[in-house]
Amino acid sequence: MVSSVSSNSSSSSSSSTSTSNQMIASNFQTFLTLLTTQLKNQNPLDPLDTNQFTQQLVQFASVEQQLKTNDTLTALLTAAQSTNLSNAVGFVGKTVTANGATATLSDGSTKWNVNLPRDAKTVTLTVTDSSNNVVWTEQKSMSAGDNAYTWNGKTSTGTLAPAGSYKLTVSAVDASGASMTPSLAYTGVVTGVSVSGGTTTLKVGDYSIPISDVTSVSS
């Protein structure tokens, strides 16, 4: 079920751009008034120097060009954000895996991906809650590469943990007893998308994930 599809950046960006354009337009009008007044009040016996006049005309053209450039850039930015949002909508309802150690427990289970640089004889997996309390720990052996780890939501006392955010900490040693550092990712279903500050994010559980952190997508 889609919970949200939103864009916060376009309105703030438009407001900021509008203010900037108003300031530039005000300066433009002031410059034009000064130039016109200078021409009207110049001394006929000592008219405005041609080089000075040319320089001021160049400045006049530069201000006008800046106004047009800002309008064009604003239009391009708005179009790009709309495109990003439209593309991101395709993630809604899909299961994604993203880099990270924290996941949301929902529907009684949650899943992480543990990637190991080589085979591990012993892997210690510890799940902690948002208050950093240990709720579950166990040991497994895992092979090199990606390993799916699913926690069924059961605590060490056998009760079911409440829905919420949980962090997985992993330590691993190989057959020779040497330790290794695994990389972690978590998996969840996308329920919404948003664009804020030029960054497109996906809503998975209680988290907003930058789309750049997503490593895999499945139906």
Side-chain angles (χ1 to χ4, degrees), residues 136-204:
W136 174 257
T137 185
E138 67 174 308
Q139 291 186 332
K140 290 177 173 289
S141 60
M142 292 183 175
S143 57
D146 291 329
N147 296 269
Y149 175 67
T150 301
W151 176 49
N152 61 7
K154 291 289 184 66
T155 68
S156 299
T157 60
T159 60
L160 185 64
S165 302
Y166 293 88
K167 181 180 179 180
L168 178 67
T169 303
V170 181
S171 61
V173 295
D174 60 19
S176 66
S179 62
M180 65 185 83
T181 303
S183 60
L184 298 176
Y186 57 94
T187 302
V189 177
V190 178
T191 58
V193 300
S194 66
V195 177
S196 179
T199 300
T200 302
T201 59
L202 308 177
K203 184 174 177 57
V204 179

Side-chain angles (χ1 to χ4, degrees), residues 4 9 26 39 43 56 121 151 169 187 198 200 218:
S4 62
S9 61
S26 176
L39 290 173
N43 186 347
Q56 291 178 357
K121 180 180 180 181
W151 176 49
T169 303
T187 302
T200 302
S218 62

Side-chain angles (χ1 to χ4, degrees), residues 95-169:
T95 299
V96 299
T97 298
N99 293 321
T102 304
T104 301
L105 177 66
S106 59
D107 298 326
S109 67
T110 191
K111 183 186 294 184
W112 285 273
N113 180 74
V114 180
N115 183 279
L116 296 170
R118 55 188 183 276
D119 291 345
K121 180 180 180 181
T122 305
V123 179
T124 303
L125 304 113
T126 303
V127 179
T128 55
D129 60 19
S130 57
S131 299
N132 208 34
N133 299 311
V134 175
V135 296
W136 174 257
T137 185
E138 67 174 308
Q139 291 186 332
K140 290 177 173 289
S141 60
M142 292 183 175
S143 57
D146 291 329
N147 296 269
Y149 175 67
T150 301
W151 176 49
N152 61 7
K154 291 289 184 66
T155 68
S156 299
T157 60
T159 60
L160 185 64
S165 302
Y166 293 88
K167 181 180 179 180
L168 178 67
T169 303

